[in-house]
Amino acid sequence: MSRPTELSGSPGRQRCRAGHHGHSCKKRTCAICGLTWARDWRMVLRVNLQHVGVPVMLSAVTPPGRDVLPYDGRHCAHLGPHLHGKRFGCQLDEDALAEWSRDISRRWKRLHNAARNAVKRRHGRCLTLLTRAWEPQARGAAHVHPVLALRQPHDAVLAKAYFDELARLAPRHEFGFVGTKEGVSAQILAPERAAAYLSSYFVKGSGEKAQLRENARNPHLREC
């Protein structure tokens, strides 16, 4: 049996040998290949958004609350009685999170299509989704950032309508609220700023964002 990794090139640099005939496996969940995948994905995201040339509107479709994704009190029992939250490092129940994440990509596609169709029925047309980026929260569940390009003056109305429909339909597909916080559904950014924001957590992580390797290997984002 071949070793999964070996030192190659500069000191400390590892090479994956878990694939066929000792080649790299190229799997996102691999400790080595996942790092390359995340860096490549980040570069593609930044380059594509920076070349849009027009403002974009983006938002966040969040996971559901504690009724669907309860916390696992065993991880923070040593803190005594407290209100579960990210500042205490509280984690979700692993079984509930795994079940919710199992078909997260399919449920997102259904939600996205339903919102687009609702906008098209009301306004006659809808905008094309420019991209979407998944980000795991500190508590373990993931939320998705949809991005729409505003190429014409009326596009802001269509984009806002789309995010409003996402917010209305999200509970039907087991998602939470839509926006940076409740009551704020979307924000408009220059494409360069949107690229920097969406790709920032893939590199080193900032604040509450997970590290690059953890994002790439997150078992609850394998289908995204």
Side-chain angles (χ1 to χ4, degrees):
M1 179 181 295
S2 61
R3 293 174 299 173
T5 63
E6 69 172 1
L7 295 180
S8 175
S10 59
R13 185 174 181 180
Q14 291 183 315
R15 175 189 173 193
C16 172
R17 296 185 58 192
H20 190 58
H21 291 312
H23 294 289
S24 60
C25 68
K26 304 186 184 305
K27 292 182 178 180
R28 172 177 172 175
T29 52
C30 171
I32 299 173
C33 296
L35 197 61
T36 302
W37 175 90
R39 285 172 176 158
D40 290 347
W41 195 95
R42 170 182 176 266
M43 179 60 68
V44 169
L45 177 67
R46 291 192 65 130
V47 170
N48 285 345
L49 283 178
Q50 288 171 350
H51 281 76
V52 169
V54 296
V56 300
M57 185 179 290
L58 60 85
S59 189
V61 181
T62 66
R66 303 180 189 186
D67 54 332
V68 177
L69 295 174
Y71 282 97
D72 186 347
R74 295 173 298 177
H75 289 283
C76 48
H78 61 284
L79 297 175
H82 66 284
L83 182 63
H84 290 300
K86 56 190 176 185
R87 69 171 181 161
F88 296 115
C90 302
Q91 294 295 306
L92 298 177
D93 178 84
E94 188 65 25
D95 291 338
L97 178 57
E99 177 60 26
W100 180 78
S101 303
R102 179 178 55 84
D103 60 345
I104 186 174
S105 182
R106 287 193 294 273
R107 285 188 288 106
W108 155 248
K109 289 176 182 177
R110 289 196 293 266
L111 171 59
H112 163 67
N113 288 333
R116 288 186 76 251
N117 290 336
V119 172
K120 192 171 183 178
R121 286 193 299 269
R122 180 175 299 181
H123 296 274
R125 71 182 182 95
C126 56
L127 302 182
T128 300
L129 185 66
L130 190 62
T131 188
R132 86 285 182 273
W134 290 92
E135 177 184 1
Q137 295 180 328
R139 61 176 176 149
H143 61 252
V144 60
H145 296 281
V147 184
L148 302 174
L150 307 181
R151 303 183 186 279
Q152 302 176 27
H154 188 62
D155 285 354
V157 174
L158 296 177
K160 180 63 165 56
Y162 168 74
F163 288 120
D164 287 344
E165 289 297 333
L166 286 182
R168 181 179 69 86
L169 297 168
R172 301 184 188 179
H173 300 272
E174 297 184 52
F175 287 97
F177 67 86
V178 175
T180 54
K181 59 183 178 180
E182 292 190 64
V184 179
S185 64
Q187 55 183 324
I188 298 176
L189 297 175
E192 296 81 6
R193 287 191 60 195
Y197 172 73
L198 293 176
S199 63
S200 63
Y201 64 91
F202 268 93
V203 191
K204 298 179 180 177
S206 58
E208 300 165 1
K209 296 181 185 295
Q211 296 295 318
L212 179 147
R213 195 186 302 271
E214 295 173 355
N215 277 334
R217 300 183 65 198
N218 189 307
H220 304 299
L221 290 176
R222 291 179 180 177
E223 302 301 323
C224 298

